[in-house]
């Protein structure tokens, strides 16, 4: 494969990734949050949904006050490895960048 062919393939791949995507990785509640009755999140990874749950881990009913439901491009729970998150969310962007295609990865991490 020539460099030109490889670059054209990378441009096509980059064009397929031009949309803004939001990917979330959740974490466990810390002791303070657990003691103070904070709610945990239920991650439905195949559907890229994060929603609040009650103390028993059950989803809060749709019309219940305090129900929170978000949909993302991809969702990882607290058990996902850093490598898994990288492979699914950043690898293609970095490969494109290394081959001369612009890309952005913006991260925000709130820790306990």
């Amino acid at each position: 494969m020539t460099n030109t062919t490889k670059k054209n393939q990378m441009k096509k791949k980059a064009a397929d990734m031009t949309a803004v995507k939001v990917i979330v990785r959740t974490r466990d509640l810390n002791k303070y949050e657990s003691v103070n009755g904070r709610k945990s999140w239920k991650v439905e990874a195949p559907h890229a949904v994060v929603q609040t749950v009650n103390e028993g881990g059950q989803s809060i009913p749709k019309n219940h006050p305090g129900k929170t439901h978000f949909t993302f491009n991809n969702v990882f729970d607290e058990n996902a490895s850093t490598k898994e998150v990288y492979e699914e969310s950043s690898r293609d962007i970095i490969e494109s960048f290394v081959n001369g295609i612009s890309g952005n990865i913006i991260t925000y991490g709130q820790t306990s």
Side-chain angles (χ1 to χ4, degrees):
M1 179 182 314
T2 67
N3 282 343
T4 305
T5 304
K6 186 173 182 179
K7 199 162 195 170
N8 286 340
Q9 286 178 340
M10 293 305 293
K11 282 183 180 180
K12 183 185 180 321
K13 195 174 192 180
D16 293 340
M17 299 185 316
T18 56
V20 172
K21 295 179 184 174
V22 179
I23 299 167
V24 174
R25 181 182 190 182
T26 63
R27 63 170 174 79
D28 285 330
L29 297 178
N30 62 30
K31 281 184 181 181
Y32 175 81
E33 293 165 330
S34 296
V35 169
N36 289 307
R38 300 269 175 92
K39 298 174 185 167
S40 186
W41 295 95
K42 179 179 180 183
V43 176
E44 296 180 19
H47 307 291
V49 172
V50 176
Q51 57 187 312
T52 50
V53 296
N54 61 22
E55 287 98 22
Q58 302 298 313
S59 296
I60 296 175
K62 234 180 192 177
N63 298 324
H64 188 275
K67 167 74 174 187
T68 307
H69 178 102
F70 301 101
T71 303
F72 301 97
N73 294 96
N74 204 345
V75 176
F76 297 93
D77 67 14
E78 61 278 357
N79 299 312
S81 70
T82 300
K83 182 177 180 179
E84 180 183 0
V85 175
Y86 165 76
E87 292 286 335
E88 294 290 323
S89 63
S90 304
R91 183 181 181 156
D92 289 343
I93 296 169
I94 291 170
E95 284 180 358
S96 294
F97 174 77
V98 168
N99 287 292
I101 308 297
S102 295
N104 260 323
I105 300 172
I106 301 170
T107 62
Y108 170 78
Q110 182 174 350
T111 58
S112 52

